[in-house]
Amino acid sequence: MEYEEFGEKVLAWFDKHGRRGLPWQRQKTPYHVWVSEIMLQQTQVGTVIPYFEKFIRRFPNVYSLADAADDEVMSYWAGLGYYARARNLHRCAIHIVDKYQGNLPDNLDDLQALPGIGRSTAGAILAQAFGKRGIILDGNVKRVLSRYAAIEGWPGQTAVARQLWKLAEQSTPNHRSDDYAQAIMDLGALICLRQRPACIHCPLCESCQARRQGLIEKIPGRKPKKRPPLKSIRMMILRSEEKILLEKRPPAGIWGGLWSLPEIDVMLSGKEVEELLASRYGVTVKKIEKVRSFNHTFSHFRLQVEPWLIDTLTMQSRVQEPGQQWYRFQELSKIGMPGPVGRLLMELESATEQN
Ligand code: SF4
């Protein structure tokens, strides 16, 4: 199949079966497209929709986002994961207001220079927000193209990625750019599924090389696997006068910039914990109770969390350190917290209410 025909077939399929009426398609402003594209990185449409709607209600334009406090932006992202996206989105909004008078740039180079916008996201914004030809190569598109041309190997490898970008460039039509961008992503998300793709409904079925050569299960190749290491930490739920002590995590690293529970080494004894709590947080321990452990998996390691609920007395002379804050349970929904920590504290709150 010629690449011109590839684009036409995908567009014809989209006209009948593509997704329409998604919240960011209703009012396709550059701001809506940009926010949705960042949320959709590594995240499925169904998960993104409620987050997008809530986010846009609170931050309806780039000015309201740029003006917001970092903590508030993070609170609207809590639970969506990959928090660097939210920090970059916020930084980016400030930059757009300062440097571009609140208008998202409409060319590839300037878009790619913005925080959190890579080559594929820039292509998607160009096509969907500005109707310009933009080349997209997100996870869904990689799957369609690598199968269509039977490109074996993991798309994260440089040589494979290079072939896929070339193919994406060749197959993107010169017209209906915004529809094609949505069409090729929809085809990957709805038809060319990783497991059991619905090839009989695919417009590329006849000329798809992976299908013809029986390679669908093998393509795209998977990332070479290493078992992620296990890390154990102890989280301390320090409770004083119905308030919980939270610490702001450093901006880089896991859960960066979110408010979380203080952590200590699991090897410390109860006595050592007491001494540490007195010196670091200015509290004396009244009672320690171990809470059920839980695991959380990140892309590069597994975290085993052993929570301790510690009732404390706060020393009156203690000056609050920056980045530490005592919060009431009712206030927790207003701040950005890692999902597992939020769930742990909600369970604790409902257990407390029942007692
Ligand atoms: S024919 Fe099947 S494997 Fe090939 S692109 Fe279409 S859905 Fe994917």
Side-chain angles (χ1 to χ4, degrees):
M1 189 195 293
E2 291 299 323
Y3 286 110
E4 202 173 303
E5 207 185 323
F6 179 105
E8 292 315 313
K9 290 211 167 191
V10 172
L11 281 167
W13 170 85
F14 175 73
D15 288 338
K16 281 194 192 148
H17 308 287
R19 286 185 284 203
R20 295 177 193 277
L22 295 171
W24 45 92
Q25 293 173 328
R26 282 181 217 136
Q27 246 191 312
K28 228 190 231 177
T29 64
Y31 176 69
H32 285 182
V33 169
W34 164 50
V35 172
S36 69
E37 283 300 326
I38 301 298
M39 286 190 169
L40 287 164
Q41 291 169 352
Q42 336 255 11
T43 313
Q44 294 191 345
V45 165
T47 308
V48 166
I49 289 174
Y51 279 92
F52 176 84
E53 290 183 326
K54 211 169 130 204
F55 196 90
I56 293 296
R57 264 198 302 279
R58 170 59 190 92
F59 310 110
N61 52 50
V62 69
Y63 295 100
S64 50
L65 181 56
D67 279 348
D70 198 42
D71 267 349
E72 197 186 4
V73 177
M74 297 307 286
S75 76
Y76 278 78
W77 208 274
L80 199 54
Y82 301 99
Y83 295 97
R85 295 184 296 175
R87 284 193 298 278
N88 281 333
L89 193 75
H90 191 210
R91 275 174 56 211
C92 197
I94 295 168
H95 192 73
I96 290 168
V97 168
D98 286 351
K99 188 167 174 207
Y100 295 108
Q101 295 76 47
N103 299 308
L104 209 63
D106 63 355
N107 68 79
L108 195 65
D109 289 344
D110 287 344
L111 278 170
Q112 268 187 266
L114 292 170
I117 300 187
R119 188 171 166 188
S120 178
T121 302
I125 294 172
L126 266 191
Q128 302 203 296
F130 300 108
K132 294 188 173 184
R133 188 167 182 271
I135 312 301
I136 299 165
L137 194 61
D138 71 354
N140 285 323
V141 182
K142 283 177 189 165
R143 198 164 52 252
V144 174
L145 295 183
S146 57
R147 283 175 172 166
Y148 176 74
I151 296 173
E152 296 190 48
W154 174 50
Q157 284 170 307
T158 312
V160 178
R162 204 176 294 130
Q163 286 184 69
L164 289 173
W165 273 109
K166 191 173 167 205
L167 193 55
E169 174 74 49
Q170 289 168 330
S171 54
T172 301
N174 290 319
H175 66 298
R176 294 186 65 191
S177 296
D178 55 342
D179 283 346
Y180 178 78
Q182 189 65 51
I184 190 74
M185 290 190 282
D186 283 0
L187 190 64
L190 303 174
I191 300 291
C192 194
L193 308 172
R194 176 164 266 290
Q195 312 263 340
R196 290 192 288 280
C199 299
I200 52 166
H201 300 296
C202 177
L204 308 172
C205 182
E206 277 173 28
S207 40
C208 172
Q209 290 304 311
R211 184 164 190 264
R212 292 171 85 149
Q213 297 173 36
L215 292 172
I216 288 173
E217 299 298 317
K218 274 183 78 183
I219 298 178
R222 289 182 190 270
K223 187 178 178 178
K225 260 206 177 155
K226 273 197 294 183
R227 185 162 169 74
L230 180 70
K231 222 170 112 177
S232 298
I233 53 161
R234 190 177 289 157
M235 278 189 176
M236 294 175 297
I237 311 168
L238 300 180
R239 186 164 63 177
S240 176
E241 295 166 13
E242 298 180 7
K243 288 183 178 174
I244 300 287
L245 183 72
L246 295 182
E247 276 184 333
K248 189 159 194 177
R249 298 187 63 89
I254 62 159
W255 297 331
L258 298 181
W259 288 90
S260 186
L261 293 165
E263 293 170 15
I264 49 165
D265 193 326
V266 285
M267 300 307 284
L268 293 184
S269 66
K271 181 96 182 79
E272 288 169 323
V273 170
E274 285 188 31
E275 286 168 7
L276 186 136
L277 295 184
S279 66
R280 197 190 286 174
Y281 303 108
V283 295
T284 48
V285 172
K286 287 201 295 185
K287 189 176 139 205
I288 293 181
E289 187 187 327
K290 292 183 186 173
V291 182
R292 188 168 50 84
S293 298
F294 64 89
N295 292 339
H296 188 74
T297 304
F298 293 92
S299 52
H300 50 304
F301 68 95
R302 292 167 296 142
L303 189 66
Q304 186 174 53
V305 180
E306 184 191 298
W308 278 19
L309 174 60
I310 306 176
D311 281 318
T312 64
L313 284 175
T314 314
M315 293 172 190
Q316 293 306 320
S317 57
R318 174 77 178 180
V319 178
Q320 193 82 54
E321 294 285 334
Q324 293 175 3
Q325 185 79 44
W326 291 91
Y327 282 103
R328 294 189 181 285
F329 277 116
Q330 305 89 288
E331 296 170 313
L332 297 179
S333 61
K334 298 195 191 84
I335 57 170
M337 274 193 302
V341 175
R343 285 192 288 280
L344 173 68
L345 292 178
M346 268 166 57
E347 278 174 25
L348 179 67
E349 185 190 13
S350 55
T352 312
E353 278 170 1
Q354 281 164 18
N355 288 335

mmCIF file of all heavy atoms in Angstrom, residues 214-239:
data_model
loop_
_atom_site.group_PDB
_atom_site.id
_atom_site.type_symbol
_atom_site.label_atom_id
_atom_site.label_comp_id
_atom_site.label_asym_id
_atom_site.label_seq_id
_atom_site.Cartn_x
_atom_site.Cartn_y
_atom_site.Cartn_z
ATOM 1 N N GLY A 214 2.272 -13.468 10.394
ATOM 2 C CA GLY A 214 1.984 -14.143 11.678
ATOM 3 C C GLY A 214 2.863 -13.638 12.814
ATOM 4 O O GLY A 214 3.256 -14.402 13.694
ATOM 5 N N LEU A 215 3.156 -12.330 12.819
ATOM 6 C CA LEU A 215 4.093 -11.794 13.819
ATOM 7 C C LEU A 215 3.409 -10.888 14.854
ATOM 8 O O LEU A 215 4.087 -10.219 15.636
ATOM 9 C CB LEU A 215 5.193 -10.979 13.104
ATOM 10 C CG LEU A 215 6.156 -11.780 12.227
ATOM 11 C CD1 LEU A 215 7.059 -10.842 11.432
ATOM 12 C CD2 LEU A 215 6.997 -12.709 13.098
ATOM 13 N N ILE A 216 2.085 -10.877 14.834
ATOM 14 C CA ILE A 216 1.380 -9.918 15.687
ATOM 15 C C ILE A 216 1.775 -10.049 17.166
ATOM 16 O O ILE A 216 1.996 -9.057 17.857
ATOM 17 C CB ILE A 216 -0.147 -10.071 15.513
ATOM 18 C CG1 ILE A 216 -0.545 -9.523 14.148
ATOM 19 C CG2 ILE A 216 -0.917 -9.333 16.596
ATOM 20 C CD1 ILE A 216 -1.987 -9.761 13.783
ATOM 21 N N GLU A 217 1.890 -11.282 17.635
ATOM 22 C CA GLU A 217 2.208 -11.477 19.055
ATOM 23 C C GLU A 217 3.611 -10.975 19.408
ATOM 24 O O GLU A 217 3.882 -10.630 20.550
ATOM 25 C CB GLU A 217 2.126 -12.979 19.414
ATOM 26 C CG GLU A 217 0.762 -13.606 19.202
ATOM 27 C CD GLU A 217 -0.306 -12.963 20.072
ATOM 28 O OE1 GLU A 217 -0.023 -12.711 21.240
ATOM 29 O OE2 GLU A 217 -1.423 -12.698 19.562
ATOM 30 N N LYS A 218 4.480 -10.978 18.410
ATOM 31 C CA LYS A 218 5.894 -10.609 18.666
ATOM 32 C C LYS A 218 6.165 -9.113 18.535
ATOM 33 O O LYS A 218 7.219 -8.624 18.935
ATOM 34 C CB LYS A 218 6.794 -11.328 17.645
ATOM 35 C CG LYS A 218 7.192 -12.718 18.076
ATOM 36 C CD LYS A 218 8.131 -13.335 17.068
ATOM 37 C CE LYS A 218 9.548 -12.800 17.211
ATOM 38 N NZ LYS A 218 10.425 -13.358 16.163
ATOM 39 N N ILE A 219 5.233 -8.398 17.909
ATOM 40 C CA ILE A 219 5.475 -6.984 17.599
ATOM 41 C C ILE A 219 4.404 -6.118 18.274
ATOM 42 O O ILE A 219 3.227 -6.456 18.178
ATOM 43 C CB ILE A 219 5.450 -6.752 16.067
ATOM 44 C CG1 ILE A 219 6.579 -7.565 15.400
ATOM 45 C CG2 ILE A 219 5.605 -5.287 15.739
ATOM 46 C CD1 ILE A 219 6.601 -7.447 13.881
ATOM 47 N N PRO A 220 4.743 -5.009 18.904
ATOM 48 C CA PRO A 220 6.105 -4.515 19.100
ATOM 49 C C PRO A 220 6.850 -5.340 20.150
ATOM 50 O O PRO A 220 6.229 -5.874 21.082
ATOM 51 C CB PRO A 220 5.893 -3.086 19.592
ATOM 52 C CG PRO A 220 4.510 -3.043 20.140
ATOM 53 C CD PRO A 220 3.718 -4.105 19.446
ATOM 54 N N GLY A 221 8.184 -5.408 20.010
ATOM 55 C CA GLY A 221 8.997 -6.157 20.969
ATOM 56 C C GLY A 221 8.903 -5.524 22.347
ATOM 57 O O GLY A 221 8.675 -4.326 22.473
ATOM 58 N N ARG A 222 9.027 -6.352 23.364
ATOM 59 C CA ARG A 222 8.916 -5.826 24.734
ATOM 60 C C ARG A 222 10.269 -5.338 25.240
ATOM 61 O O ARG A 222 11.307 -5.818 24.788
ATOM 62 C CB ARG A 222 8.398 -6.914 25.673
ATOM 63 C CG ARG A 222 6.942 -7.196 25.404
ATOM 64 C CD ARG A 222 6.420 -8.240 26.366
ATOM 65 N NE ARG A 222 5.096 -8.664 25.941
ATOM 66 C CZ ARG A 222 3.962 -8.090 26.344
ATOM 67 N NH1 ARG A 222 4.005 -7.092 27.188
ATOM 68 N NH2 ARG A 222 2.797 -8.525 25.919
ATOM 69 N N LYS A 223 10.185 -4.453 26.181
ATOM 70 C CA LYS A 223 11.397 -3.941 26.809
ATOM 71 C C LYS A 223 12.095 -5.093 27.535
ATOM 72 O O LYS A 223 11.419 -5.858 28.243
ATOM 73 C CB LYS A 223 10.987 -2.870 27.830
ATOM 74 C CG LYS A 223 12.121 -2.140 28.441
ATOM 75 C CD LYS A 223 11.579 -1.088 29.381
ATOM 76 C CE LYS A 223 12.733 -0.363 30.040
ATOM 77 N NZ LYS A 223 12.293 0.700 30.923
ATOM 78 N N PRO A 224 13.397 -5.246 27.359
ATOM 79 C CA PRO A 224 14.080 -6.321 28.097
ATOM 80 C C PRO A 224 13.830 -6.154 29.590
ATOM 81 O O PRO A 224 13.952 -5.044 30.118
ATOM 82 C CB PRO A 224 15.562 -6.103 27.757
ATOM 83 C CG PRO A 224 15.575 -5.182 26.585
ATOM 84 C CD PRO A 224 14.295 -4.427 26.566
ATOM 85 N N LYS A 225 13.453 -7.276 30.248
ATOM 86 C CA LYS A 225 12.990 -7.151 31.646
ATOM 87 C C LYS A 225 14.071 -7.406 32.678
ATOM 88 O O LYS A 225 14.825 -8.348 32.566
ATOM 89 C CB LYS A 225 11.856 -8.139 31.883
ATOM 90 C CG LYS A 225 10.525 -7.485 31.812
ATOM 91 C CD LYS A 225 9.506 -8.241 32.627
ATOM 92 C CE LYS A 225 8.191 -7.474 32.562
ATOM 93 N NZ LYS A 225 7.064 -8.297 32.783
ATOM 94 N N LYS A 226 14.097 -6.546 33.661
ATOM 95 C CA LYS A 226 14.893 -6.820 34.855
ATOM 96 C C LYS A 226 13.892 -6.753 35.992
ATOM 97 O O LYS A 226 13.026 -5.891 35.991
ATOM 98 C CB LYS A 226 15.913 -5.700 35.087
ATOM 99 C CG LYS A 226 17.212 -5.872 34.359
ATOM 100 C CD LYS A 226 18.283 -4.956 34.961
ATOM 101 C CE LYS A 226 17.935 -3.515 34.732
ATOM 102 N NZ LYS A 226 18.794 -2.503 35.127
ATOM 103 N N ARG A 227 13.971 -7.671 36.948
ATOM 104 C CA ARG A 227 13.041 -7.584 38.067
ATOM 105 C C ARG A 227 13.383 -6.337 38.876
ATOM 106 O O ARG A 227 14.531 -6.180 39.314
ATOM 107 C CB ARG A 227 13.152 -8.839 38.930
ATOM 108 C CG ARG A 227 12.132 -8.877 40.048
ATOM 109 C CD ARG A 227 11.995 -10.299 40.573
ATOM 110 N NE ARG A 227 11.225 -10.351 41.806
ATOM 111 C CZ ARG A 227 9.907 -10.207 41.881
ATOM 112 N NH1 ARG A 227 9.221 -9.985 40.786
ATOM 113 N NH2 ARG A 227 9.287 -10.291 43.040
ATOM 114 N N PRO A 228 12.411 -5.430 39.052
ATOM 115 C CA PRO A 228 12.748 -4.199 39.782
ATOM 116 C C PRO A 228 13.116 -4.501 41.235
ATOM 117 O O PRO A 228 12.512 -5.378 41.861
ATOM 118 C CB PRO A 228 11.463 -3.372 39.696
ATOM 119 C CG PRO A 228 10.397 -4.295 39.268
ATOM 120 C CD PRO A 228 11.018 -5.491 38.630
ATOM 121 N N PRO A 229 14.116 -3.815 41.776
ATOM 122 C CA PRO A 229 14.530 -4.097 43.157
ATOM 123 C C PRO A 229 13.444 -3.707 44.170
ATOM 124 O O PRO A 229 12.601 -2.857 43.875
ATOM 125 C CB PRO A 229 15.780 -3.233 43.334
ATOM 126 C CG PRO A 229 15.685 -2.183 42.281
ATOM 127 C CD PRO A 229 14.887 -2.750 41.156
ATOM 128 N N LEU A 230 13.501 -4.334 45.328
ATOM 129 C CA LEU A 230 12.531 -4.051 46.391
ATOM 130 C C LEU A 230 13.176 -3.120 47.420
ATOM 131 O O LEU A 230 14.297 -3.369 47.869
ATOM 132 C CB LEU A 230 12.111 -5.359 47.070
ATOM 133 C CG LEU A 230 11.100 -5.221 48.195
ATOM 134 C CD1 LEU A 230 9.732 -4.817 47.661
ATOM 135 C CD2 LEU A 230 10.982 -6.536 48.984
ATOM 136 N N LYS A 231 12.469 -2.055 47.741
ATOM 137 C CA LYS A 231 12.971 -1.111 48.747
ATOM 138 C C LYS A 231 11.966 -1.056 49.887
ATOM 139 O O LYS A 231 10.760 -1.018 49.614
ATOM 140 C CB LYS A 231 13.036 0.279 48.091
ATOM 141 C CG LYS A 231 14.256 1.068 48.419
ATOM 142 C CD LYS A 231 14.306 2.278 47.525
ATOM 143 C CE LYS A 231 14.099 3.531 48.345
ATOM 144 N NZ LYS A 231 14.204 4.753 47.552
ATOM 145 N N SER A 232 12.432 -1.124 51.115
ATOM 146 C CA SER A 232 11.490 -1.058 52.243
ATOM 147 C C SER A 232 11.676 0.254 52.996
ATOM 148 O O SER A 232 12.808 0.678 53.236
ATOM 149 C CB SER A 232 11.733 -2.205 53.221
ATOM 150 O OG SER A 232 11.515 -3.420 52.569
ATOM 151 N N ILE A 233 10.562 0.862 53.360
ATOM 152 C CA ILE A 233 10.640 2.070 54.189
ATOM 153 C C ILE A 233 9.581 1.993 55.283
ATOM 154 O O ILE A 233 8.615 1.235 55.175
ATOM 155 C CB ILE A 233 10.396 3.373 53.386
ATOM 156 C CG1 ILE A 233 9.083 3.283 52.592
ATOM 157 C CG2 ILE A 233 11.546 3.731 52.496
ATOM 158 C CD1 ILE A 233 8.565 4.627 52.162
ATOM 159 N N ARG A 234 9.787 2.771 56.302
ATOM 160 C CA ARG A 234 8.767 2.882 57.348
ATOM 161 C C ARG A 234 8.185 4.301 57.251
ATOM 162 O O ARG A 234 8.947 5.265 57.191
ATOM 163 C CB ARG A 234 9.423 2.662 58.711
ATOM 164 C CG ARG A 234 8.455 2.517 59.846
ATOM 165 C CD ARG A 234 9.217 2.243 61.128
ATOM 166 N NE ARG A 234 9.808 0.910 61.158
ATOM 167 C CZ ARG A 234 10.854 0.591 61.934
ATOM 168 N NH1 ARG A 234 11.422 1.483 62.708
ATOM 169 N NH2 ARG A 234 11.325 -0.641 61.917
ATOM 170 N N MET A 235 6.858 4.387 57.159
ATOM 171 C CA MET A 235 6.226 5.707 57.128
ATOM 172 C C MET A 235 5.633 5.990 58.497
ATOM 173 O O MET A 235 4.980 5.110 59.068
ATOM 174 C CB MET A 235 5.091 5.734 56.097
ATOM 175 C CG MET A 235 5.574 5.954 54.700
ATOM 176 S SD MET A 235 4.185 6.220 53.605
ATOM 177 C CE MET A 235 5.064 6.556 52.102
ATOM 178 N N MET A 236 5.849 7.186 58.975
ATOM 179 C CA MET A 236 5.358 7.513 60.312
ATOM 180 C C MET A 236 4.140 8.428 60.227
ATOM 181 O O MET A 236 4.213 9.514 59.655
ATOM 182 C CB MET A 236 6.466 8.194 61.098
ATOM 183 C CG MET A 236 7.611 7.248 61.357
ATOM 184 S SD MET A 236 8.949 8.105 62.141
ATOM 185 C CE MET A 236 9.368 9.253 60.889
ATOM 186 N N ILE A 237 3.047 7.911 60.792
ATOM 187 C CA ILE A 237 1.835 8.739 60.850
ATOM 188 C C ILE A 237 1.867 9.406 62.218
ATOM 189 O O ILE A 237 1.404 8.849 63.221
ATOM 190 C CB ILE A 237 0.572 7.869 60.683
ATOM 191 C CG1 ILE A 237 0.713 6.935 59.473
ATOM 192 C CG2 ILE A 237 -0.669 8.745 60.569
ATOM 193 C CD1 ILE A 237 -0.356 5.854 59.407
ATOM 194 N N LEU A 238 2.460 10.591 62.271
ATOM 195 C CA LEU A 238 2.579 11.285 63.557
ATOM 196 C C LEU A 238 1.285 12.051 63.811
ATOM 197 O O LEU A 238 0.894 12.904 63.024
ATOM 198 C CB LEU A 238 3.756 12.258 63.522
ATOM 199 C CG LEU A 238 5.132 11.631 63.250
ATOM 200 C CD1 LEU A 238 6.211 12.688 63.237
ATOM 201 C CD2 LEU A 238 5.453 10.573 64.301
ATOM 202 N N ARG A 239 0.632 11.684 64.907
ATOM 203 C CA ARG A 239 -0.680 12.280 65.183
ATOM 204 C C ARG A 239 -0.607 13.077 66.479
ATOM 205 O O ARG A 239 -0.097 12.582 67.488
ATOM 206 C CB ARG A 239 -1.713 11.144 65.294
ATOM 207 C CG ARG A 239 -3.141 11.613 65.429
ATOM 208 C CD ARG A 239 -4.114 10.502 65.152
ATOM 209 N NE ARG A 239 -3.998 9.402 66.100
ATOM 210 C CZ ARG A 239 -4.792 8.330 66.084
ATOM 211 N NH1 ARG A 239 -5.721 8.201 65.150
ATOM 212 N NH2 ARG A 239 -4.639 7.357 66.959
#
